[in-house]
Amino acid sequence: MAEIRDRLRFVIIMGLSLFLMSCGAVELMKLQIVDGGSYYEESQSTTVATQSINAPRGQIADYDGEWLVSNKSGLNVVFEKAFFPSDNSEINRIILTAVNILESEGVEWNDILPISTASPFEFDEDRESDSARLRTNIGVQAYGTAEDCMIAMSDIYGISDDYTDREKRIIAGVRYTMYVRDFSVSNQFTLAEDIPMSAAVQLKEFTGELDGLDIVEEAVRVNNVGDVVPHLIGTVGAISAEEYAELKDDGYALSDTLGKGGIESAMEDTLRGEKGTRTIEIKSGQVISDTVTEEAVPGNSIKLTIDSDYQRDVQTILENHIYWLQNQTSTRASGTSADAGAIVVLNAKTGALLAAATYPTYDLNDYIEDYASVAAGENAPLTNRAVSGMYRPGSTFKTVTAIAALNEGIIDRSYTVTCNGVYTYWENWSPKCTGSHGSINVITALRESCNIFFYEVGRITGIDTIADYASQLGLGEEMGLEIGRDVKKGFIATPESYMERQQTWQAGNVIQAAIGQADTYVTPLQMAAQAMTIGNKGTRYQTYMVDSIYDYGMENLISKTEPVVAAEIEDKTGYTFDTVIEGMREVAQFDEYTYPTAEDYYTDNYLLTDLPYDVAIKTGTPQITSSTDTGSAFIGFYPADDPEIAFSGFIEHGEYSKLMIKEIISAYYDEFYTIDKLSESKTGEEIAEELAGLGENEEE
């Protein structure tokens, strides 16, 4: 009985096995014969991918057409995904081989990993957000260390333990950067830019061993004149994750670059150009065609209103003055703590920016090559004091108070105030003047810079009226300059501005505001606009620094900036501006101080009375942090009757800023007589010897 059951079980099992084998055979036959053609066709199908071709970025020229920023043809090392291996060990070998060649030639490669390059591994300082993003991207917990991240990346990227710690760091850095830059068939990865020919030759020798690596010729950004308005030019750099999130809908990729400040950023849409398209066909895992199907269109180029030569002259004037202050040999030396400053010059008839000097400054090429050193420079060289330095205007603001009071009929030309050196309106507070001027009118008060006169006029005029005219003159207002976000607005001392900053406004603040003290803070750019408006007798033009836009090679004009009137102050009396200008003329002709001796640098060449035409100016000595810590400021325009240029300047912790005015004007008319920059290696006595004969040399 048992034997019969066993035989029956065997027959059933064999039957089932034969049935299953038959089904398998039928299915195999179906796959091979019935559907075989379609599967073969699918294995041989073609994949088409498109890749963007970067357009050459538009160039930037000065007013004379000299290229400040241009492009050159450079050699870049790129990885192409379509030709790249998929095996981790092979990818890592290719990366390390390429980097070793680049390093032997002193070439840097793209690596954004925020981890030290040597073990024990640590996160880079001041890159907390990048470190947090790294942990998220590679799945490491929020408290994970740099070592934890390296272990995770070694696992993710299959980095062998046979590599040294430094080699692991190199591979991980490039692999992570490739990931962040979205390396794909549609998006190549640039390993290194603008490499020397010697490095290209070495890499070419290994072409057969470095699948997916290519040397391509692309446009490389060049700062030809890195020392001319670097703050206003700006730089370009890799797009950040935050920028990409905002710009991806505009056609930007994670591998793109864009402007990072100044004109490069503000005029991004103009400079960017239009990308081209490259079409790649892949069949059976092999690239069968690689075609440029749409050519890239270069960006448009920009011509600035700034002339490089004049900008350098003004920069030199500023630097020489500060250096001279620091190295005075006179027993009457003053302002020796000067350490920073700015000068702004505008075209009075248009509002065009002609020069914007700031000290200390830097070179764009140094900034790009060693940002950390430039950023750590003494007295904050990255601060653009010309357009974002916030200063009390001091007595230069007295022109505002005078215009407000005259134009509203509160005073007239004959109105006088008696100055006995002390203002006695309040019993418990008696602010003083710099002298005792007797009975004076507005013209004399401007010349003498009498505080008592403007205390009284400011009090009876009122802060609302003064602030309104200050705004119309450009103080505390948007200037219209193209680099908008980099330009500070400032503010005028008013009850409202005090409330915004949680300060208490008191009755006495109005008289301090009337002489440019209190908490009024404006920029040198705004002060130059104030001077321009006075010189134009009420017309303030919007400031600008883009003269025109051309096609890439600057052969065809696309657009030209036309002057725009930002404000128009009606002269209600018919003599308001003439009166203030008369007072400013007298300031230029009045020598209140005994200046340092000739051998201390300036000789007699500072005298404004020696100019062919009258100049109108107003000076100031605004407090910075205390009554003893002051700066030196000026505003002005030339010629006084029909100004071509308007200007302003500020020296932090310094003196005698007025002495620069003649040089600023002379430089504009190509009569600059101290063109050589004073060397910081020279002593005050050596400077004296060098400059003692300047007047005689000028005559020759």
Side-chain angles (χ1 to χ4, degrees):
M1 192 70 177
E3 184 178 348
I4 294 172
R5 282 199 302 272
D6 290 341
R7 285 181 180 179
L8 182 60
R9 187 180 298 113
F10 175 77
V11 170
I12 293 171
I13 291 171
M14 286 297 295
L16 287 171
S17 298
L18 289 172
F19 175 75
L20 292 173
M21 289 174 66
S22 298
C23 290
V26 170
E27 186 63 26
L28 181 62
M29 184 172 18
K30 181 175 181 293
L31 288 171
Q32 290 180 333
I33 299 174
V34 179
D35 297 331
S38 63
Y39 279 108
Y40 177 77
E41 235 176 67
E42 187 175 329
S43 71
Q44 298 298 307
S45 66
T46 300
T47 300
V48 177
T50 59
Q51 187 179 96
S52 294
I53 302 173
N54 290 329
R57 193 173 178 83
Q59 305 174 98
I60 303 172
D62 78 347
Y63 189 73
D64 284 339
E66 178 183 358
W67 290 123
L68 302 178
V69 183
S70 62
N71 300 311
K72 71 173 184 179
S73 181
L75 299 176
N76 293 350
V77 184
V78 301
F79 286 140
E80 295 282 3
K81 183 71 171 180
F83 302 90
F84 214 50
S86 57
D87 177 67
N88 271 329
S89 61
E90 187 63 9
I91 292 173
N92 297 338
R93 181 193 66 78
I94 290 172
I95 288 172
L96 188 59
T97 301
V99 167
N100 285 338
I101 293 172
L102 293 172
E103 190 171 30
S104 70
E105 292 291 330
V107 177
E108 295 184 357
W109 57 95
N110 286 323
D111 181 342
I112 63 170
L113 190 65
I115 292 178
S116 60
T117 56
S119 61
F121 296 114
E122 296 179 352
F123 289 119
D124 293 342
E125 294 183 5
D126 302 321
R127 296 187 64 187
E128 290 81 3
S129 60
D130 292 333
S131 300
R133 190 176 295 111
L134 167 65
R135 294 189 189 96
T136 300
N137 287 338
I138 63 176
V140 170
Q141 293 182 334
Y143 53 80
T145 66
E147 292 282 357
D148 293 335
C149 291
M150 284 300 301
I151 292 171
M153 285 186 288
S154 293
D155 182 53
I156 294 170
Y157 301 134
I159 304 174
S160 170
D161 285 336
D162 293 337
Y163 289 119
T164 66
D165 285 346
R166 186 171 185 281
E167 290 173 335
K168 289 179 181 179
R169 171 60 184 79
I170 290 172
I171 295 169
V174 174
R175 293 291 299 267
Y176 180 71
T177 306
M178 293 167 73
Y179 164 77
V180 170
R181 298 281 169 81
D182 191 29
F183 180 49
S184 63
V185 174
S186 300
N187 195 16
Q188 66 182 17
F189 171 71
T190 301
L191 178 64
E193 298 171 274
D194 196 22
I195 68 171
M197 183 58 71
S198 56
V201 170
Q202 283 201 59
L203 287 168
K204 283 292 187 182
E205 290 177 358
F206 284 84
T207 299
E209 302 176 26
L210 303 176
D211 292 344
L213 183 144
D214 196 9
I215 310 295
V216 297
E217 194 171 337
E218 292 185 340
V220 175
R221 206 68 167 159
V222 180
N223 294 296
N224 302 297
V225 190
D227 62 339
V228 171
V229 289
H231 303 82
L232 300 180
I233 296 295
T235 60
V236 295
I239 192 171
S240 67
E242 293 79 10
E243 290 167 332
Y244 174 69
E246 293 181 9
L247 297 172
K248 61 183 179 181
D249 292 339
D250 295 329
Y252 283 86
L254 279 166
S255 58
D256 281 347
T257 60
L258 74 165
K260 295 288 187 174
I263 283 294
E264 289 279 22
S265 174
M267 303 293 288
E268 171 70 18
D269 291 344
T270 298
L271 294 165
R272 180 187 176 196
E274 298 178 13
K275 292 182 178 182
T277 304
R278 176 184 177 191
T279 302
I280 302 170
E281 293 184 81
I282 303 172
K283 188 173 184 178
S284 303
Q286 300 294 317
V287 175
I288 59 174
S289 71
D290 184 352
T291 309
V292 174
T293 49
E294 187 176 356
E295 295 286 349
V297 179
N300 291 324
S301 292
I302 292 171
K303 185 170 84 168
L304 302 180
T305 58
I306 292 169
D307 175 84
S308 295
D309 291 336
Y310 185 53
Q311 169 66 28
R312 286 196 187 93
D313 286 349
V314 174
Q315 184 71 40
T316 299
I317 292 167
L318 176 63
E319 294 184 11
N320 279 0
H321 185 75
I322 292 174
Y323 183 59
W324 165 71
L325 286 171
Q326 295 171 344
N327 293 274
Q328 294 174 76
T329 59
S330 171
T331 55
R332 298 188 299 277
S334 180
T336 56
S337 297
D339 55 7
I343 297 173
V344 172
V345 185
L346 299 175
N347 183 323
K349 298 183 184 300
T350 65
L353 183 66
L354 302 179
T358 184
Y359 179 86
T361 186
Y362 61 94
D363 189 297
L364 274 175
N365 293 305
D366 295 336
Y367 176 95
I368 293 168
E369 293 172 9
D370 190 0
Y371 168 80
S373 295
V374 173
E378 191 174 359
N379 296 322
L382 295 183
T383 300
N384 186 354
R385 288 171 166 84
V387 304
S388 61
M390 300 285 283
Y391 301 112
R392 284 175 173 165
S395 292
T396 64
F397 192 87
K398 290 173 181 174
T399 58
V400 178
T401 302
I403 290 169
L406 285 165
N407 213 39
E408 293 301 320
I410 296 167
I411 67 171
D412 58 21
R413 289 171 60 94
S414 61
Y415 177 87
T416 61
V417 171
T418 299
C419 171
N420 293 318
V422 179
Y423 189 58
T424 58
Y425 180 79
W426 288 284
E427 292 182 0
N428 58 348
W429 181 45
S430 302
K432 295 179 173 56
C433 193
T434 55
S436 182
H437 302 110
S439 179
I440 56 174
N441 62 19
V442 64
I443 295 172
T444 308
L446 284 168
R447 185 190 73 193
E448 301 284 348
S449 202
C450 176
N451 286 348
I452 304 302
F453 180 92
F454 287 101
Y455 283 156
E456 178 63 13
V457 171
R459 184 187 64 80
I460 63 177
T461 301
I463 193 60
D464 291 340
T465 301
I466 293 172
D468 178 53
Y469 275 88
S471 175
Q472 294 183 71
L473 286 159
L475 301 180
E477 291 297 309
E478 300 287 354
M479 285 287 97
L481 206 64
E482 289 83 353
I483 56 169
R485 68 181 185 182
D486 297 329
V487 180
K488 292 286 183 66
K489 183 178 177 181
F491 47 85
I492 307 301
T494 63
E496 292 75 20
S497 68
Y498 268 53
M499 185 180 297
E500 288 175 3
R501 295 189 306 284
Q502 298 181 330
Q503 294 175 306
T504 301
W505 178 265
Q506 298 176 345
N509 289 128
V510 66
I511 69 169
Q512 290 297 318
I515 65 166
Q517 299 292 353
D519 271 358
T520 288
Y521 286 94
V522 296
T523 68
L525 177 64
Q526 291 174 336
M527 293 166 68
Q530 170 194 353
M532 170 180 62
T533 311
I534 298 171
N536 290 334
K537 299 183 179 181
T539 300
R540 173 166 65 88
Y541 292 105
Q542 182 171 290
T543 62
Y544 64 96
M545 61 178 290
V546 173
D547 174 82
S548 47
I549 297 173
Y550 287 79
D551 61 7
Y552 182 77
M554 289 194 77
E555 295 176 356
N556 299 302
L557 177 66
I558 295 174
S559 65
K560 169 80 173 174
T561 303
E562 297 297 333
V564 174
V565 175
E568 191 80 58
I569 303 174
E570 178 190 358
D571 191 334
K572 298 177 181 179
T573 67
Y575 59 76
T576 295
F577 289 101
D578 287 336
T579 302
V580 173
I581 291 170
E582 185 177 344
M584 295 176 71
R585 284 178 190 255
E586 292 200 11
V587 175
Q589 297 171 7
F590 177 59
D591 227 10
E592 181 181 356
Y593 303 103
T594 301
Y595 290 107
T597 56
E599 55 267 29
D600 256 342
Y601 173 58
Y602 273 104
T603 72
D604 291 334
N605 287 299
Y606 68 84
L607 294 174
L608 298 176
T609 51
D610 290 343
L611 289 166
Y613 305 99
D614 283 350
V615 57
I617 68 168
K618 185 69 189 82
T619 59
T621 308
Q623 295 177 12
I624 297 179
T625 57
S626 68
S627 60
T628 58
D629 184 11
T630 59
S632 181
F634 64 82
I635 62 171
F637 45 90
Y638 180 84
D641 287 330
D642 185 18
E644 291 187 34
I645 59 172
F647 43 80
S648 70
F650 198 100
I651 301 295
E652 296 180 20
H653 316 289
E655 252 289 8
Y656 307 130
S657 63
K658 173 183 176 180
L659 301 185
M660 297 186 290
I661 294 175
K662 184 178 179 183
E663 291 191 304
I664 293 168
I665 296 170
S666 298
Y668 180 75
Y669 292 99
D670 294 324
E671 297 172 359
F672 190 43
Y673 68 93
T674 54
I675 190 66
D676 294 330
K677 180 178 177 180
L678 299 182
S679 170
E680 295 186 4
S681 64
K682 296 177 182 177
T683 65
E685 292 179 356
E686 288 172 330
I687 295 170
E689 291 178 7
E690 178 181 323
L691 300 174
L694 279 176
E696 297 175 3
N697 292 338
E698 183 184 22
E699 290 177 3
E700 293 175 5

